[in-house]
Amino acid sequence: SQQGEEDPQALSIQEGENATMNCSYKTSINNLQWYRQNSGRGLVHLILIRSNEREKHSGRLRVTLDTSKKSSSLLITASRAADTASYFCATAPRNYGGSQGNLIFGKGTKLSVKP
Amino acid sequence: DTGVSQDPRHKITKRGQNVTFRCDPISEHNRLYWYRQTLGQGPEFLTYFQNEAQLEKSRLLSDRFSAERPKGSFSTLEIQRTEQGDSAMYLCASTGGGDEQFFGPGTRLTVL
């Protein structure tokens, strides 16, 4: 079953605007990751935030994590047409069946950036 | 290119046939994962290897599915007696011990 729920399901913005996507999850986690997927292709890792971190930056990306609310947000600043893709949050559950590292993905946010 | 590779990229088969997919992880990555992704959904975990040992299987992995990683390098995923519900993108990922997973381009399976 899928743990994360991204919001919104779809987002359409103009180039240069900021895009914010939210993710909620259900169980305790070790870390939360964001991935990007271009249509029909594999996923590309964007950024990872650990459960003891609250905010992280990488280039034009900013991720926040609120473990008390079991939620995260991904902000893409100054968006470009090339940012058009689906964005997924993925959680690495804490003590998930004793395994190490399998991820639980949400359904994704489909971002469209218009030039 | 030293990324994760998957073969074939596309597979069309008739219901009831067996299919096999291959994944070559990044060299020296000891962990390998298989996921399945259907249209409009995020990837769902299927199974995981550490070296040649299959350490976990999702309940999504019915007895028609089998995965191997015989020498701890490449892995194969076989689906026997395919059904239309098996149509999906099958993704492979690897990691060398960190938490970030490196995904291959996927194999898109269509069962007619």
Side-chain angles (χ1 to χ4, degrees), chain B residues 15-67:
Chain B
R15 189 176 54 186
Q17 298 294 305
N18 299 344
V19 294
T20 300
F21 310 140
R22 176 179 171 127
C23 170
D24 285 88
I26 292 173
S27 179
E28 298 182 358
H29 273 192
N30 59 350
R31 295 181 190 172
L32 186 149
Y33 304 82
W34 284 99
Y35 294 86
R36 183 175 71 185
Q37 184 179 25
T38 53
L39 200 62
Q41 303 292 315
E44 293 179 292
F45 169 73
L46 292 178
T47 190
Y48 148 63
F49 290 85
Q50 179 148 330
N51 300 312
E52 66 275 9
Q54 188 174 17
L55 295 186
E56 187 170 355
K57 293 193 288 186
S58 161
R59 57 179 178 268
L60 290 176
L61 212 67
S62 76
D63 55 8
R64 295 185 298 105
F65 288 69
S66 63

Side-chain angles (χ1 to χ4, degrees), chain B residues 1-6 23-27 29 94 102-105:
Chain B
D1 189 344
T2 56
V4 178
S5 62
Q6 293 187 246
C23 170
D24 285 88
I26 292 173
S27 179
H29 273 192
S94 71
F102 295 84
F103 281 81

Side-chain angles (χ1 to χ4, degrees), chain B residues 7-18:
Chain B
D7 182 68
R9 295 290 306 277
H10 303 273
K11 178 71 177 178
I12 300 173
T13 191
K14 292 182 180 178
R15 189 176 54 186
Q17 298 294 305
N18 299 344

Side-chain angles (χ1 to χ4, degrees), chain A residues 1-2 31 33 35 37 40-45 48 50 88 92 96-108, chain B residues 9 31 33 35 37 40-45 48 50 55-56 58-60 89 91 99-106 108:
Chain A
S1 64
Q2 302 198 291
N31 63 71
Q33 303 176 39
Y35 287 80
Q37 185 177 38
R41 300 198 173 198
L43 285 81
V44 175
H45 182 268
L48 178 152
R50 301 199 181 280
F88 294 92
Y96 176 70
S99 68
Q100 297 181 37
N102 57 287
L103 297 173
I104 301 179
F105 286 84
K107 294 184 179 181
Chain B
R9 295 290 306 277
R31 295 181 190 172
Y33 304 82
Y35 294 86
Q37 184 179 25
Q41 303 292 315
E44 293 179 292
F45 169 73
Y48 148 63
Q50 179 148 330
L55 295 186
E56 187 170 355
S58 161
R59 57 179 178 268
L60 290 176
M89 175 81 89
L91 294 162
D99 294 312
E100 170 187 353
Q101 294 190 10
F102 295 84
F103 281 81
R108 182 168 294 284

